[in-house]
Amino acid sequence: MRYDDDAQLDASEVTDTRGQGGGGPAGFGGGGGGMGGGLLPLLIGLLFRGRSGKVSWVLIVVVVIGFLAFTFLGGGTGSSGSSVAGAFGEPGGPARAGTSELASECRTGRDANTNPDCAIVADINSIQAYWAGGGYATVARTVRGAQPRYTNIDTVFFTGSVNTRCGSADSSAGPFYCPGDDLVYIDLSFYDQLRQQFGAQGGGLTNAYVLAHEYGHHVQDLLGTEAAVRTRQGASSDSVRLELQADCYAGVWMNHAAQPANGRPAFITEVSQADLDGAVDAAQRIGDDYIQGRLGGGTVDPDSFTHGTSAQRKKWLTTGYTTGDPTRCDTFRTNDLG
């Protein structure tokens, strides 16, 4: 995957807090608080006051570490879910910092082709340009009560730990979207973990898929989908359907990534089959069954699924990519998840 050398990057869509630290979040890391290997669960229910002013349960979605923490903590049974949820620290304010250095380094697509940080900026710009440029409106017309338009949000780069309105997290949390902040959070070392621990091929589109999945959760938040989630575990649970839909939304963006959007030229010049294969490979390696069977205790327990199987994640990512239509991503109204 390559970026248009002349594309104008907007680093203001990134808040860079790396190197600032945030203090050790309560109950995290070092095996403290019962956290096996310092890893967090991927699905944590938290209370926050949403746009409507009503208190509602929402999900913090951690992109692609899937069910790993549950597996390490409870042999894939999900029995440790409630205690692990308590490991999140007290909610605080969202991380904020200047991005002047990033803005000076990441000006054009030419920078994105040589600087990995700038490539992430370009990915974020591209993803949000698609949703703001009509992608969100397409699906919002089909959802009663959806917010009328897409709103751009920042991605926060952090190292070590970060405080959010959803609680405190460290880098072992992986990437996640916090609805309380309307922010996506990522420690960029996660991309190394995805290759080294999960065995993913990696690559530019794989990195972008991670973020596109999280921005898919922002779309779900605007649509009201996330707030309507009720069942948190199980092969056909709302949680699984939410994650598969976010994969589908990521695939939809991939379909449009090399096209102009929201009045701006395309940031990405092309998405090759090899790029797509790498993203699909990553999606398959974060399926609940793959993580429980290959990286956990070896026992696959569908009743504890939160993100979907490898086959399901492949199906819905490719559904989004092949159709390019976000209305085809309604995982909540089908009995065939794959």
Side-chain angles (χ1 to χ4, degrees):
M1 186 174 78
R2 282 191 60 81
Y3 303 91
D4 181 351
D5 284 345
D6 297 324
Q8 299 299 302
L9 305 188
D10 181 5
S12 71
E13 293 184 356
V14 173
T15 299
D16 193 355
T17 69
R18 290 174 294 179
Q20 296 183 27
F28 279 66
M35 299 300 292
L39 292 173
L40 292 176
L42 299 206
L43 188 60
I44 300 177
L46 290 170
L47 282 169
F48 86 106
R49 191 164 296 277
R51 293 182 179 81
S52 65
K54 296 180 179 179
V55 175
S56 59
W57 281 99
V58 296
L59 303 173
I60 286 188
V61 183
V62 179
V63 164
V64 288
I65 304 183
F67 198 75
L68 184 56
F70 283 113
T71 302
F72 280 0
L73 291 167
T77 66
S79 60
S80 302
S82 58
S83 63
V84 175
F88 244 79
E90 290 299 317
R96 295 291 181 186
T99 58
S100 57
E101 183 176 349
L102 197 65
S104 66
E105 294 177 355
C106 305
R107 297 179 180 276
T108 68
R110 188 182 303 276
D111 300 320
N113 284 320
T114 58
N115 184 326
D117 287 0
C118 300
I120 301 302
V121 172
D123 294 337
I124 293 166
N125 292 166
S126 177
I127 293 164
Q128 300 214 94
Y130 165 70
W131 289 113
Y136 176 77
T138 297
V139 67
R141 285 193 291 266
T142 69
V143 180
R144 179 177 297 180
Q147 294 293 312
R149 62 183 58 84
Y150 180 82
T151 55
N152 279 22
I153 61 171
D154 281 8
T155 289
V156 176
F157 292 172
F158 73 94
T159 53
S161 64
V162 66
N163 293 320
T164 81
R165 289 197 179 100
C166 296
S168 301
D170 67 15
S171 57
S172 65
F176 63 94
Y177 167 66
C178 173
D181 293 341
D182 273 343
L183 292 170
V184 171
Y185 291 88
I186 184 171
D187 184 326
L188 297 182
S189 66
F190 173 75
Y191 293 130
D192 293 330
Q193 182 185 15
L194 189 57
R195 292 190 300 271
Q196 296 167 8
Q197 184 174 344
F198 291 86
Q201 297 173 17
L205 191 63
T206 299
N207 294 349
Y209 156 63
V210 168
L211 288 166
H213 176 101
E214 294 309 325
Y215 275 93
H217 287 305
H218 175 52
V219 170
Q220 291 169 325
D221 188 27
L222 294 172
L223 294 173
T225 310
E226 197 160 353
V229 168
R230 296 293 179 266
T231 54
R232 308 287 167 174
Q233 288 185 336
S236 60
S237 64
D238 290 348
S239 174
V240 166
R241 293 173 187 273
L242 192 80
E243 296 300 329
L244 296 179
Q245 186 177 65
D247 277 344
C248 188
Y249 285 157
V252 169
W253 164 74
M254 291 178 192
N255 176 284
H256 295 272
Q259 301 171 13
N262 203 29
R264 305 177 71 177
F267 293 90
I268 296 168
T269 57
E270 66 173 345
V271 174
S272 70
Q273 186 61 48
D275 294 327
L276 180 62
D277 290 345
V280 170
D281 171 70
Q284 291 178 299
R285 292 177 184 273
I286 54 175
D288 289 328
D289 56 340
Y290 183 91
I291 292 173
Q292 291 182 5
R294 301 289 186 91
L295 302 180
T299 299
V300 176
D301 177 18
D303 289 339
S304 67
F305 285 179
T306 60
H307 281 58
T309 67
S310 295
Q312 288 171 332
R313 302 201 73 162
K314 175 182 178 180
K315 172 184 175 176
W316 288 100
L317 178 62
T318 55
T319 294
Y321 179 76
T322 55
T323 67
D325 181 358
T327 67
R328 299 287 295 275
C329 296
D330 192 348
T331 56
F332 289 86
R333 296 185 181 180
T334 180
N335 292 323
D336 182 18
L337 291 176

